[in-house]
Structure formats: structure tokens, C-alpha cells
Amino acid sequence: MIKSPRMIVVSNRLPITVDTSYGDIELKPSSGGLVSALLPVCKRSRGSWIGWPGIEFDPEIAEALRFEGCPDYSLHPVFLPQQQVSDYYDGFSNGIIWPLFHDMEASAVPDPSWWQAYRDVNQKFASVVLRIADRDDVIWVHDYHLMLCGAALRKKGSTSRVGYFHHIPFPSADIFQKLPWCEHILKALLQYDVVGFQSERDKSNFLACARRFIPEVRLQRAGNCMMVISGESVSTVGVFPIGIDFDSIDELSRSEKVQLRTTQVTGSHNDSKMLFGVDRLDYTKGILERIRALDLLLEENLELHEKIRLVQVVVPSRENVERYSRLRSEIESLVSRVNGKYATATWTPIKYLYKSISRNELMALYRSADVMLVTSLRDGMNLVAKEFCAARVDTQGALIVSEFAGAAAELRTGALVINPYNVAGISRAVQTALSLSPADQQRRMQAMRRVVQAGNVFRWAESFEAALHSSMQPMVMLRSGRTDAVMARATAAN
Ligand code: GDG
């Protein structure tokens, strides 16, 4: 039997959270789709996970991490000093790349020292990979914090298969060009054997950038993917929409605890319909637009007063960044204005929670919602939309999803797709959603559940891994100078 190669996952954060708030070191598994998808893959191959533990170097924590995953997998922390975190993470990754790649203005002029820190941290990650990886290992790097990691590995002589998955949108060439280091980043991305995107739009933006900024680049179709050949490198570029762990959400949603809590939540409705939103605090999620739409809906439809309410959960995120604290104030003053304008002694239109809620509570809210609102101005995928469908084991409830979220491409058979910049359009979609008959809701929800179940997170990981495996041959041939053979293969695949 052929032994499957060891998987090395590389992501900005390790799949655990270090908690020292009670004096002792407590290592808690991180939640979230990425961890639940990749941990089984990593464990199955007795692999390793490399990432920043979220703290500065501490020998005791380093020691605790050394044994954490044994014997299934190992954790390898990349400790970063505070200044580097501030420049690489807050500055370059979240202050420049995050807004630009979501088609928004960066909050600051790119600072060359942030770029330098970004390069240095990518090198640091690559050094840890090199220290632990064998030639036959498969290396899978994640997200926009680590776009240069593959190139750093190649520069240090690595010939392992290295893939990269981009979780957030990839911008159009005109926006990408605003980055002073756009060409450098693009060439670095093309050092990966496989580059994966969430949607066709992201892939085609990336290919358009490659054509514009690297004139000598050649593109060859290879099945559903595209081979991008530039100089000595060949990269397979494809779309791999991320999924969720459908079965575990379905199961949790049916659990007694969640059922009980759902009954409590729906019982507190007083016959009003519940609209629901849950987002990390972020200006890309369209939270203000959603509340403005509710304002308009209530202004124009007096008969809906006391008949609908919005439960909006905002999960604290990047609170030390000025743009985020400003957004929080804007949301809170808008919520209070809308509530002040319409509330009565027996009804408040918006129930606003600024906190993280438990997984069970989240499931109960998904199950209680009549209308789920996903109004992102731009979003790589948006897992909330998919989780809502998986949680709706009763096949009821309506989903409103932004056309600028990757999820819209997959869920448009059942969802009401809106333009989040069109507040009147969101308001109309809510009316349509509220008017759907139980049979319509069921038809739409069943269609979406089928899609979400079929494209679950394990399929996602498998399909990316498969692309990485089949990409090996060309890289090996290329590195031995047989570029013609690669071209012949690509042509044959057409
Ligand atoms: C990036 C891309 C892409 C949220 N609040 C609570 C909570 N959550 C969980 C949700 C969901 C996750 O957080 C949010 O995922 P999203 O996909 O919506 O958003 P990002 O964090 O921006 O993720 C995005 C994703 O990467 C994956 O590729 O889809 O486009 O931006 O899982 O359930 N979980 C709990 N309590 C909360 O209060 N327990």
C-alpha cells in the first residue's frame, strides 16, 4: 500500500488558543471551519501545523505546545515579537491587504516598514517549514498573511509540493495595481504548485493580474484549472469553494439542547418574525447597510411594526484598530437611533449583542430565524450562510445573501440574492422573504442544503489535496529542465 504523504498545514494562527488568564497555561482548541476541516487531514497523515500562537516567546508555552497534538500531529509555533505583529499583522495584512482585496480603500498609505515586516515574517514561517519538512511532505499554506511563504521556501531550495489557498477575495487588476509591491506578490504566488480561490471571479481576477503584470506568462487550460507558466515555475490555479462540516452542524442542530433553546427563543417572539445577522465586527460585512434597510422597511411599512425584529450579533474583532472601534460606534449609534425611533413599550426592533456566543446558542438562533441576512459588501465565501442552511433541519427559513459573497454563486438556487449597496433592494428582499409560503421555503432550503452537504469541508480539503498531488509531476519535470514535457501535458489535458 502506498503511504499518503505527511501534510504540513501553515496558517497565520495555530489551531489552538493559549489562555494564561488564570495563571496556568491552558491550551484550548480553536473553533471554526478551517480548523475542523484541516485538523482531520493533518492528523490522518500524522502531519504538523505551523502558526503563530498569538503571544510573544515564552519557553513554558513552547514546551506545552511541543506535546499538545501527540501522537496524532505536532504543533510548531512561530513566535513573533510585538513590533513585528503590529507591522506584519495589524499593519500590512489587516491595514492594507484586507481592505484592498475587499475592494475598499486602505486606511493608511502602505508603509515600507510594514512590507519589510511582512517579508520577514513570511521568511520566518518558511524557515520553520524547512526545519520540519521532508522532501515528500505536502505543504498547504493558508491565506493572505502568507502569500510570500512559498517563494521563500523555493529560495531556500525546497522542492516539496506547496499549495496555497486564498480565503478572501482577489481584487481586479486596477485595484491590485494600487499595491506598490503587486508584481512581487504575484510572482511569489506563482511559486506555489497550486493556488486555490473561493470563486470563479477571484480566479479570473488573479489570471487577469498575471497577464497584465507578467507579460511573458503563458496560460494553459488543464481540466477545470488553469496552468500558469512563467519562467521556471508552473502553477495550477483553480476554484475550490470552502465548505462546512455539514453533518456535525446538522447533528448539533437536532440535539436536545439546541431544540430546547430554539423553543425558548421562538417563544419569546410574541408572534413577531425574526430576522437574524451574525458577523465579526468588520466593515466588509455590510452591517450598517442591513440596519439601514430595516429602518427603511419600518418607515415604509407601518403594518410591520411589532411584527418583525432583528437579532444582530456582532463578534468583537480587531478592537485595537481605530477603523474597527469607529465602526462599532457607528453601528451602536445607528441601532440606538432605529430603536429610539420605532420602539414601543412592548417591542424593540433590534436586539443587539456585542459579544461572541456559544456554538449551541448560534445553532438555536439559526433555527429560530425566519430570515437570515448576509449582506457583505465583499466576502471570500461567508460560512454563516452555509451554516444557516445546515442548521435548518426543518427545511424552513429564508436566506438573503449578498451577490458579493462567494456563497452567492453556490446558493443562488435557493437564496434571495441582493446588492448590499442597494438598501431599498435589501428591504424589498426582506418583504419577499417574509411572504414565502412554507412550501416555497422548503423547496429553496432543500436545494441549498443539498449543495452545502455535497460541497462540505472534507470534500474541499480532498479536492485541493488531489490537485496538489497531480501538480507534482510538472514541477518535478520543470525542475529538471523539461519544460516542453509540461507544455505537452497541459495541451494534452485540454
Ligand atoms: C474568512 C473570509 C471565508 C461567528 N460568530 C460566532 C461564531 N462565528 C463563526 C461562524 C463562522 C465563522 O465564525 C465566520 O466565518 P465567515 O466565513 O463568515 O467569515 P471570516 O471570519 O471573515 O472568514 C470568509 C472564511 O474565511 C473561510 O474561508 O468564508 O469570506 O473572510 O464559522 O459560525 N461562532 C461562535 N460564536 C459566535 O458568536 N461559536
Side-chain angles (χ1 to χ4, degrees):
M1 199 173 87
I2 302 170
K3 199 170 148 272
S4 68
R6 200 163 64 120
M7 165 73 76
I8 297 180
V9 176
V10 190
S11 68
N12 175 55
R13 290 299 296 263
L14 281 175
I16 47 99
T17 307
V18 182
D19 186 356
T20 52
S21 50
Y22 297 106
D24 292 336
I25 300 168
E26 207 187 332
L27 302 180
K28 297 184 191 154
S30 305
S31 53
L34 189 70
V35 174
S36 55
L38 291 175
L39 214 46
V41 181
C42 194
K43 283 180 178 173
R44 196 173 55 212
S45 71
R46 298 264 156 151
S48 304
W49 197 309
I50 296 169
W52 173 49
I55 41 155
E56 286 201 57
F57 178 72
D58 178 315
E60 277 184 60
I61 292 172
E63 191 61 12
L65 288 170
R66 217 153 71 83
F67 299 103
E68 179 57 14
C70 285
D72 296 335
Y73 74 107
S74 57
L75 291 175
H76 300 269
V78 182
F79 288 101
L80 301 173
Q82 194 45 49
Q83 186 59 47
Q84 216 163 30
V85 172
S86 153
D87 292 347
Y88 140 83
Y89 184 69
D90 298 329
F92 196 76
S93 302
N94 291 337
I96 303 293
I97 298 292
W98 177 268
L100 267 189
F101 280 35
H102 285 85
D103 300 349
M104 291 178 188
E105 287 299 318
S107 40
V109 174
D111 183 330
S113 67
W114 292 356
W115 166 241
Q116 191 52 50
Y118 185 79
R119 294 176 69 172
D120 293 345
V121 170
N122 273 257
Q123 296 268 3
K124 237 183 210 180
F125 271 77
S127 304
V128 179
V129 175
L130 271 188
R131 204 176 65 223
I132 62 163
D134 290 333
R135 195 190 147 87
D136 296 332
D137 292 341
V138 168
I139 300 159
W140 191 0
V141 181
H142 289 266
D143 228 0
Y144 62 103
H145 316 89
L146 296 171
M147 290 187 286
L148 312 181
C149 187
L153 281 169
R154 297 289 179 237
K155 204 161 175 197
K156 292 173 192 285
S158 166
T159 54
S160 297
R161 278 158 290 164
V162 192
Y164 169 82
F165 186 75
H166 191 79
H167 290 258
I168 66 169
F170 200 87
S172 68
D174 284 345
I175 292 184
F176 188 59
Q177 195 170 8
K178 290 184 180 176
L179 252 186
W181 308 281
C182 61
E183 210 176 300
H184 186 122
I185 291 175
L186 206 55
K187 286 185 171 157
L189 284 170
L190 290 173
Q191 297 285 309
Y192 286 104
D193 296 290
V194 177
V195 180
F197 293 102
Q198 302 269 28
S199 69
E200 281 297 335
R201 175 165 43 195
D202 298 327
K203 182 181 101 180
S204 63
N205 280 347
F206 178 77
L207 294 176
C209 288
R211 278 194 215 94
R212 184 184 302 184
F213 302 113
I214 311 175
E216 73 277 11
V217 87
R218 281 176 297 161
L219 305 185
Q220 286 277 341
R221 188 166 291 285
N224 291 331
C225 294
M226 195 63 96
M227 284 177 91
V228 182
I229 300 148
S230 93
E232 280 296 281
S233 71
V234 179
S235 226
T236 303
V237 176
V239 177
F240 305 88
I242 195 167
I244 55 163
D245 186 350
F246 181 94
D247 290 341
S248 77
I249 291 185
D250 179 287
E251 193 184 319
L252 183 58
S253 175
R254 292 175 201 272
S255 69
E256 207 176 311
K257 267 192 184 156
V258 169
Q259 306 248 33
L260 192 69
R261 183 65 185 147
T262 306
T263 314
Q264 286 172 344
V265 175
T266 47
S268 68
H269 276 186
N270 295 332
D271 288 336
S272 66
K273 298 278 186 190
M274 175 178 155
L275 318 180
F276 180 42
V278 53
D279 313 79
R280 251 182 339 93
L281 176 70
D282 203 291
Y283 49 87
T284 61
K285 300 288 182 186
I287 303 170
L288 289 169
E289 288 70 12
R290 185 181 311 169
I291 299 171
R292 287 193 193 113
L294 179 73
D295 185 5
L296 183 67
L297 186 67
L298 291 173
E299 192 170 292
E300 292 181 343
N301 299 278
L302 295 183
E303 73 284 4
L304 289 179
H305 290 208
E306 311 231 1
K307 294 284 179 282
I308 59 170
R309 65 194 182 116
L310 168 68
V311 175
Q312 177 63 55
V313 178
V314 175
V315 183
S317 173
R318 304 176 192 171
E319 283 172 291
N320 53 341
V321 179
E322 210 259 331
R323 193 169 179 177
Y324 285 76
S325 52
R326 205 167 356 110
L327 174 68
R328 179 184 173 189
S329 306
E330 278 182 73
I331 293 172
E332 294 184 352
S333 73
L334 185 60
V335 167
S336 113
R337 233 179 310 136
V338 172
N339 278 342
K341 195 165 154 191
Y342 302 105
T344 64
T346 50
W347 170 68
T348 311
I350 306 175
K351 191 160 264 186
Y352 169 75
L353 291 80
Y354 183 71
K355 56 163 88 159
S356 175
I357 56 174
S358 72
R359 198 86 185 136
N360 282 349
E361 183 72 2
L362 180 61
M363 292 305 132
L365 292 177
Y366 283 147
R367 285 215 49 182
S368 307
D370 295 285
V371 183
M372 180 81 218
L373 284 158
V374 173
T375 55
S376 319
L377 303 178
R378 199 83 165 81
D379 217 330
M381 176 53 65
N382 195 290
L383 298 178
V384 164
K386 293 189 169 183
E387 290 169 1
F388 172 64
C389 301
R392 293 316 292 250
V393 292
D394 58 347
T395 65
Q396 291 296 290
L399 172 66
I400 292 180
V401 68
S402 160
E403 62 179 301
F404 303 123
E410 290 176 87
L411 301 179
R412 57 175 63 248
T413 45
L416 297 161
V417 179
I418 49 99
N419 174 347
Y421 294 96
N422 180 356
V423 167
I426 304 176
S427 160
R428 275 196 303 277
V430 172
Q431 282 180 292
T432 309
L434 291 171
S435 70
L436 291 176
S437 68
D440 272 346
Q441 290 178 46
Q442 185 179 51
R443 187 179 46 77
R444 287 169 176 269
M445 186 53 77
Q446 279 174 336
M448 294 191 288
R449 280 173 62 80
R450 274 195 294 274
V451 171
V452 177
Q453 185 169 26
N456 66 52
V457 77
F458 302 103
R459 287 273 170 79
W460 167 74
E462 278 162 23
S463 62
F464 191 92
E465 259 192 300
L468 204 43
H469 284 294
S470 49
S471 75
M472 172 177 70
Q473 203 54 37
M475 279 316 287
V476 170
M477 288 192 289
L478 253 190
R479 287 191 198 112
S480 58
R482 291 165 57 194
T483 325
D484 291 348
V486 177
M487 293 304 292
R489 245 176 83 100
T491 313
N494 271 326

